[in-house]
Amino acid sequence: MYNVTLIPGDGIGPSIMEAAVRVLEATGVKFTWDKQIAGMTAYEADKTPLPQETIDSIHRTRIAFKGPLTTPVGTGFRSVNVALRQEFNLYANVRPAISFEGTRARFKNVNMVTIRENTEGLYSGMEHDILVEGQKVAAESIALITKVGSEKIIRFAFEYAKLHHRKKVTLVHKANILKATTGMFLEIGRAVANEYPDITFTDKIIDACAMHMVMDPDFFDIIVTTNLFGDILSDLAAGLVGGLGLTAGANIGKDAAIFEAVHGSAPDIAEKNIANPTAIIIAGVNMLEHLGEYEAAVRVERAVREVIREGIAVTPDLNPETHCGTQDMAEAIIRRLN
Ligand code: NAI
Ligand code: MG
């Protein structure tokens, strides 16, 4: 029995989360869901997008399954996702991008995982304006990269490779220009790589890497990189396999982990019962793996892939000719599980 904080989220959140919870429960793995609110739903109820009760719940359960959140605009609140990363020191952002047969994605054989440092770099939050006689003439954002943080994320990438039987880690940097920060990141990468002789280590400069990913995505297995580069490359990787509705991400720290879809709350299609539940169900697969429920994880992923390959019980974003809703797709996946 696993205690998990369940945050249904905003917009399409409640509907896709209902679908995902049904699929996860159909595996036979037992969950107790501690249901909490965040985002717009919480802001409307409590005037805060991240209530203390929700934070307390994650401190207790140490694992959250989270729907997309709408960040209230113009209220002075920072992004809930950033706040959660900081509160729980979720230093690793893990995003698999694996092709699905039966989609119109540009590439067929993509199978890569982006592992992004999630708390440092240019997103450390150290920014200020530079004023001359009261006028803003410049601005500065500081990229803080620590040795400890770098070693932690790079080691995480190699351990992830070992656990998931992956063969190659590519470290992405800009060490030719940003010598002090990403140069150090690369140096640490080379040192850590020596401890993992069974895993191939390569490095790439960010701009060349972006081109290489689009020209020849088969080259990549695991990418490990700093915060800003990882933010961009993980979206690029999601695009290679057909985009938002299909990719999931995990935010992982020493004391907690949060599993979610890559997409947002999609207000344009909320309440229409057409949201694709795949991304959040794949987030559920990643959560099952994190819990050590490997057999259930494999069964769910296989069922999702079969349903998408057949292309019948899928939402209209995957096949505009079907009239299949979010819950219908979940049911088709559940039938395939058994
Ligand atoms: P979005 O990802 O919600 O939507 C972009 C487009 O993709 C829309 O046309 C939408 O209909 C479509 N789409 C997204 N998910 C889909 C699904 N599962 N099935 C079918 N189509 C889907 O991005 P947008 O519109 O920029 O953001 C909406 C809200 O979500 C904003 O408030 C934003 O801040 C928030 N957001 C939250 C995230 C999170 O909680 N992790 C991540 C990204 C955005
Ligand atoms: Mg991003």
Side-chain angles (χ1 to χ4, degrees):
M1 176 75 82
Y2 299 105
N3 287 321
V4 174
T5 301
L6 179 73
I7 303 173
D10 301 313
I12 60 172
S15 158
I16 57 172
M17 291 303 276
E18 182 192 332
V21 164
R22 286 172 56 203
V23 171
L24 289 177
E25 290 185 341
T27 63
V29 175
K30 296 274 179 273
F31 292 96
T32 308
W33 306 105
D34 185 9
K35 204 166 172 182
Q36 298 291 339
I37 55 174
M40 198 54 116
T41 314
Y43 182 73
E44 282 165 4
D46 295 344
K47 287 281 163 277
T48 167
L50 185 56
Q52 190 58 42
E53 270 176 50
T54 303
I55 294 175
D56 292 344
S57 167
I58 303 172
H59 275 296
R60 276 194 312 273
T61 62
R62 303 170 63 159
I63 182 154
F65 192 40
K66 177 180 138 321
L69 305 176
T70 303
T71 298
V73 177
T75 55
F77 285 105
R78 60 189 177 153
S79 148
V80 176
N81 295 316
V82 173
L84 284 170
R85 269 174 222 161
Q86 284 169 356
E87 173 73 26
F88 295 98
N89 189 20
L90 304 172
Y91 65 89
N93 186 284
V94 181
R95 265 211 212 168
I98 303 171
S99 296
F100 286 84
E101 261 181 78
T103 64
R104 282 161 299 171
R106 264 169 224 284
F107 296 96
K108 299 288 173 226
N109 299 309
V110 179
N111 186 347
M112 70 174 86
V113 182
T114 314
I115 296 180
R116 155 188 173 195
E117 202 295 319
N118 219 10
T119 54
E120 301 190 339
L122 261 177
Y123 296 179
S124 304
M126 284 179 287
E127 287 197 303
H128 56 260
D129 294 340
I130 295 169
L131 306 176
V132 173
E133 292 168 6
Q135 296 285 334
K136 177 170 177 176
V137 294
E140 191 172 36
S141 302
I142 295 171
L144 179 81
I145 294 191
T146 67
K147 280 181 91 166
V148 170
S150 303
E151 185 172 337
K152 211 159 63 169
I153 193 69
I154 293 164
R155 206 170 277 288
F156 180 97
F158 278 95
E159 289 296 325
Y160 185 96
K162 241 168 73 177
L163 186 65
H164 292 83
H165 309 292
R166 287 181 174 270
K167 300 276 174 273
K168 178 165 42 172
V169 171
T170 304
L171 181 147
V172 180
H173 60 85
K174 187 79 187 178
N176 51 333
I177 310 269
L178 302 170
K179 294 190 169 87
T181 47
T182 81
M184 178 183 77
F185 192 77
L186 174 59
E187 235 173 73
I188 295 171
R190 288 187 174 132
V192 172
N194 282 333
E195 298 174 34
Y196 296 87
D198 298 338
I199 297 167
T200 306
F201 177 74
T202 60
D203 71 275
K204 283 197 175 291
I205 296 176
I206 174 71
D207 40 356
C209 181
M211 184 189 69
H212 197 161
M213 281 172 76
V214 173
M215 303 273 294
D216 179 23
D218 292 2
F219 173 87
F220 294 91
D221 190 351
I222 287 183
I223 288 176
V224 63
T225 188
T226 50
N227 206 338
L228 171 67
F229 297 164
D231 190 6
I232 298 167
L233 292 186
S234 60
D235 270 27
L236 197 164
L240 296 175
V241 301
L244 288 174
L246 301 172
T247 26
N251 295 283
I252 297 178
K254 189 164 71 61
D255 300 319
I258 300 182
F259 297 86
E260 62 184 337
V262 166
H263 61 71
S265 54
D268 54 330
I269 58 165
E271 321 273 327
K272 290 194 181 151
N273 189 31
I274 55 168
N276 186 342
T278 300
I280 196 70
I281 294 172
I282 295 295
V285 168
N286 300 152
M287 182 168 75
L288 286 169
E289 285 175 356
H290 181 80
L291 293 168
E293 296 286 347
Y294 299 111
E295 195 250 6
V298 168
R299 278 169 62 215
V300 174
E301 181 159 0
R302 193 184 297 142
V304 171
R305 287 181 178 278
E306 278 176 21
V307 166
I308 292 179
R309 184 168 58 233
E310 282 176 14
I312 299 161
V314 295
T315 45
D317 55 310
L318 292 177
N319 181 354
E321 275 152 33
T322 66
H323 296 280
C324 170
T326 306
Q327 306 308 325
D328 305 323
M329 186 165 174
E331 266 158 39
I333 292 166
I334 291 168
R335 278 198 299 276
R336 219 49 62 92
L337 273 179
N338 303 318

